[in-house]
Amino acid sequence: MTTRELGRPSIDYVGLLARFAAPLFLLFLVVLFAVLEPRFLHPLNLMNILRQVSIMGLVAVGMTFVILTAGIDLSVGSVVALAGLVGAYVAKGGLDDRFAVGAAAAAGNPVILAVLAAVAVGAACGAMQGAAITRLRVPPFVVTLGGLTAFRGLALIFSGGGPISGFSPAFVWWGQGRIYGVPVPVIVFALVAAVAHIVLRYTRFGLWIYATGGNSAASELNGVPIRRATFSAYVIVGLLSGLAGFILSARLNSAEAVAGLQLELDVIAAVVIGGTSLFGGIGSIFGTVVGVVLIGVLRNGLVLMNVSSFVQQILIGLILVLAVAVDQRAALRRS
Amino acid sequence: MAPVLELEGITKRFGAIEAIRGIDFAVEPGEVVGLMGDNGAGKSTLCRIIAGTFAPTTGTLRLNGHEVHFRRPSDAREEGVEMVHQDLALCDNLTAALNVFLGREITFGFGPFRFLDRGKMQARAGELFAELKSETRPGELVKRMSGGQRQAVAIARTRLSEPKVVLLDEPTAAISVRQVAEVLELIRRLRDAGIAVILISHRAPDVFAVCDRVAVLRRGEKVADKPVGATSPEEVTGLITGAIEYA
Ligand SMILES: Nc1ncnc2c1ncn2[C@@H]1O[C@H](COP(=O)(O)OP(=O)(O)OP(=O)(O)O)[C@@H](O)[C@H]1O
Ligand SMILES: [Mg+2]
């Protein structure tokens, strides 16, 4: 027997199953809900699902970068709140008329400034944490756990305890508007996911993210700027959390310090269900989008069937563990 | 001939541990030097200093007569020093081709936006593997590869540029007899191209087969450095274990 024959890999069924487990399960859920509850497949309901998950999805796209580097960001929910408040503050041009509606609400700064402010605040939060992780070498879990409480505290101080609400129509459009019937947040999510997919799959920076998560010591020896790649991943998740915070305030027509509470759990669940390994180096934006939509479909379908939200939480938890279990089996088989 | 690489008084301390101590060493172009020693003798440490993984605590490093200070491995690479690491420094989650080009990717694009040219990298990696007579598929994940194939991936990296010095840290430890022959053949081809090669190995037969000279480290100190013709496997073994004090 030649080494060529020995070297040929046999078909890795468990690996294949793991790779397509999330899309297959999503398909299964869609069919199941469609059969059990005809309203589920109504185009308006489907749009509604996408609209509901798009804000979480934006953050999940950023989280994918971080988890691919073998990191984690627990602070995203707090960043969403802080950035949303700052964006609202800038849109209003101050806190004097924090509840103003109608003509008064139209006063203040252009919406684009609010967007930029929210995104900048998010990116700054990410940069601070990224610097602590790459320069001070504090583990990401600890740094972002600190960020989770610190940024929430900042948001509470900044808001002075109350919400900022009643924005101009141009502001609210970002959360409630539609283009050809498609909600604006869905379009933003789709665009961001598409760009992120291209970056991760086709660019050198994307390769550096995968390499850093796969084997950071080896990557560094080969000249990959692992610190820059890691730092950038936290800036990206911060930036997208900032954008998500802005869109959330636009959708609710209100920015609050308690926005995005426990968002990190949903986001990490979506990314992991989508097949991205918490050990880094393996995963994709496609998987994350599937994970995000899967959580949305599950919630929506269960609501339509009058299943309590408590049961929903149990099911999402179970699916999360199951997803990782399938992944581990596949990893064991490969090694 | 003038040496391409010269070390003078190189010492490296890791906290309280003195991994290598006062090493003087030189290699000429087209010369193959075997570096031998027991586990923990300091072989890898010495080569990592030459390859820019870390700086020496004291001592100087000269390439073609010019003093160099490498701050990172890519600095050394730019000066023509390539190293195949003992653990091969591979990313299991990437393909063979991407591993070969890691840190030196072929890209296209504009400004800071660099897109990977996977096709070119794949093709070039395929050529390199063929040159090494290795049945390694460029598009396959390194995770699924045999020890010899992984070795080929790591060695192929040294062929991307026109190096002056190639350091091989235990390149024959994990591979089959046939593949050992290929690696030794590759070392001869590097030598014929005028490249200086430092070969770390525990296997005396390999060293005596390809090396012009053998240097022995014991507990961080160089205890021998002589042409292979002037020594024997028995003497080298004695030097490694300490049965022979100095030669
Ligand atoms: N990064 C490091 N930090 C601390 N100590 C180190 C480090 N690298 C090496 N050492 C120590 O330096 C000494 C020499 O190690 P080195 O890896 O150079 O040995 P070696 O000759 O390559 O051994 P082997 O044959 O096992 O590969 C050992 O005592 C080792 O523990
Ligand atoms: Mg070693």
Side-chain angles (χ1 to χ4, degrees):
Chain A
M1 198 186 287
T2 67
T3 48
R4 187 188 292 271
E5 278 162 1
L6 282 172
R8 180 176 296 157
S10 57
I11 297 173
D12 176 9
Y13 291 104
V14 181
L16 276 178
L17 176 67
R19 184 140 178 219
F20 294 108
L24 284 176
F25 189 62
L26 175 58
L27 198 68
F28 166 76
L29 281 182
V30 168
V31 171
L32 181 76
F33 288 135
V35 170
L36 294 179
E37 178 54 71
R39 279 181 301 165
F40 176 80
L41 273 188
H42 194 282
L44 278 181
N45 186 53
L46 295 181
M47 264 313 154
N48 201 23
I49 295 174
L50 290 180
R51 194 179 49 110
Q52 279 165 353
V53 296
S54 53
I55 289 170
M56 182 231 314
L58 278 174
V59 182
V61 167
M63 188 70 82
T64 307
F65 282 80
V66 166
I67 294 183
L68 279 175
T69 67
I72 195 84
D73 188 349
L74 302 175
S75 74
V76 290
S78 304
V79 174
V80 162
L82 182 62
L85 281 166
V86 172
Y89 178 91
V90 169
K92 290 259 180 185
L95 287 181
D96 300 338
D97 57 346
R98 63 192 303 159
F99 303 122
V101 285
N109 291 310
V111 177
I112 185 70
L113 279 185
V115 180
L116 288 177
V119 167
V121 165
C125 292
M128 278 192 283
Q129 299 186 105
I133 289 160
T134 54
R135 296 286 154 189
L136 307 181
R137 301 190 179 262
V138 185
F141 186 92
V142 176
V143 169
T144 60
L145 187 61
L148 173 132
T149 67
F151 296 139
R152 182 71 65 187
L154 256 177
L156 286 163
I157 293 171
F158 186 80
S159 74
I164 305 175
S165 55
F167 301 110
S168 68
F171 187 107
V172 171
W173 177 83
W174 283 91
Q176 300 178 0
R178 284 169 188 270
I179 298 176
Y180 293 113
V182 184
V184 174
V186 176
I187 294 172
V188 174
F189 172 44
L191 285 178
V192 165
V195 170
H197 170 77
I198 290 169
V199 167
L200 278 179
R201 187 95 187 76
Y202 299 106
T203 70
R204 183 174 64 182
F205 173 73
L207 176 66
W208 286 348
I209 294 279
Y210 279 98
T212 300
N215 186 341
S216 64
S219 300
E220 191 169 28
L221 282 176
N222 284 294
V224 173
I226 57 167
R227 287 208 223 173
R228 182 143 53 96
T230 306
F231 177 80
S232 305
Y234 288 91
V235 173
I236 288 169
V237 72
L239 191 149
L240 290 177
S241 300
L243 183 60
F246 166 77
I247 291 180
L248 183 63
S249 344
R251 190 157 105 68
L252 304 175
N253 198 7
S254 169
E256 300 177 29
V258 292
L261 266 180
Q262 296 189 357
L263 179 69
E264 66 282 353
L265 299 180
D266 272 355
V267 167
I268 293 167
V271 173
V272 171
I273 288 173
T276 297
S277 164
L278 283 171
F279 299 109
I282 296 170
S284 66
I285 294 294
F286 173 74
T288 293
V289 171
V290 169
V292 165
V293 173
L294 198 152
I295 288 183
V297 163
L298 192 67
R299 288 232 167 95
N300 178 275
L302 294 174
V303 167
L304 287 182
M305 289 166 58
N306 288 321
V307 177
S308 88
S309 66
F310 305 142
V311 177
Q312 291 174 34
Q313 290 186 9
I314 296 172
L315 282 175
I316 290 174
L318 284 176
I319 291 167
L320 178 69
V321 175
L322 203 69
V324 177
V326 172
D327 221 45
Q328 289 288 3
R329 280 295 295 274
L332 277 180
R333 281 283 287 265
R334 280 193 295 262
S335 63
Chain B
M1 202 186 286
V4 56
L5 172 74
E6 285 172 280
L7 311 187
E8 206 179 293
I10 297 283
T11 297
K12 178 70 189 177
R13 268 186 226 103
F14 296 107
I17 304 170
E18 206 167 32
I20 54 172
R21 187 162 46 233
I23 303 276
D24 298 326
F25 189 60
V27 196
E28 288 174 13
E31 192 182 23
V32 183
V33 182
L35 191 55
M36 301 192 72
D38 213 344
N39 294 118
K43 307 180 295 292
S44 296
T45 303
L46 183 63
C47 284
R48 287 196 193 117
I49 288 171
I50 299 169
T53 306
F54 35 63
T57 309
T58 60
T60 54
L61 211 75
R62 278 192 293 275
L63 269 179
N64 287 331
H66 298 288
E67 193 169 328
V68 286
H69 298 273
F70 300 140
R71 290 176 50 227
R72 54 182 76 84
S74 49
D75 293 350
R77 247 181 197 174
E78 261 164 44
E79 293 287 333
V81 179
E82 292 278 348
M83 176 158 178
V84 177
H85 289 270
Q86 193 163 8
D87 67 359
L88 305 180
L90 299 174
C91 287
D92 275 350
N93 59 335
L94 303 180
T95 64
L98 287 175
N99 263 291
V100 169
F101 283 90
L102 197 57
R104 287 182 282 194
E105 301 82 3
I106 302 179
T107 60
F108 59 91
F110 44 94
F113 300 98
R114 308 309 311 180
F115 289 86
L116 298 173
D117 195 334
R118 281 172 194 264
K120 257 194 202 150
M121 290 191 272
Q122 198 111 334
R124 183 81 188 100
E127 287 169 20
L128 291 173
F129 296 146
E131 236 175 75
L132 298 173
K133 302 203 174 57
S134 167
E135 291 174 9
T136 305
R137 282 173 293 268
E140 197 179 331
L141 287 183
V142 161
K143 183 189 316 213
R144 300 210 186 90
M145 292 186 168
S146 71
Q149 290 173 322
R150 296 167 67 88
Q151 203 103 44
V153 173
I155 290 177
R157 285 174 176 155
T158 64
R159 313 287 287 148
L160 286 182
S161 58
E162 310 253 292
K164 299 189 189 96
V165 180
V166 172
L167 308 157
L168 300 161
D169 195 348
E170 303 268 8
T172 54
I175 58 182
S176 71
V177 176
R178 192 180 70 92
Q179 287 164 329
V180 168
E182 294 299 343
V183 170
L184 298 184
E185 188 47 42
L186 168 77
I187 292 172
R188 291 193 190 96
R189 266 183 278 153
L190 292 172
R191 177 196 63 199
D192 294 344
I195 297 166
V197 180
I198 298 176
L199 169 68
I200 298 181
S201 181
H202 279 290
R203 293 164 44 103
D206 295 352
V207 171
F208 280 83
V210 292
C211 294
D212 304 307
R213 198 146 56 84
V214 55
V216 179
L217 292 187
R218 189 169 66 236
R219 298 217 218 117
E221 279 179 289
K222 194 171 85 171
V223 293
D225 189 347
K226 56 205 286 194
V228 285
T231 182
S232 64
E234 292 73 29
E235 187 187 35
V236 166
T237 307
L239 285 161
I240 291 171
T241 57
I244 303 173
E245 193 61 38
Y246 192 84

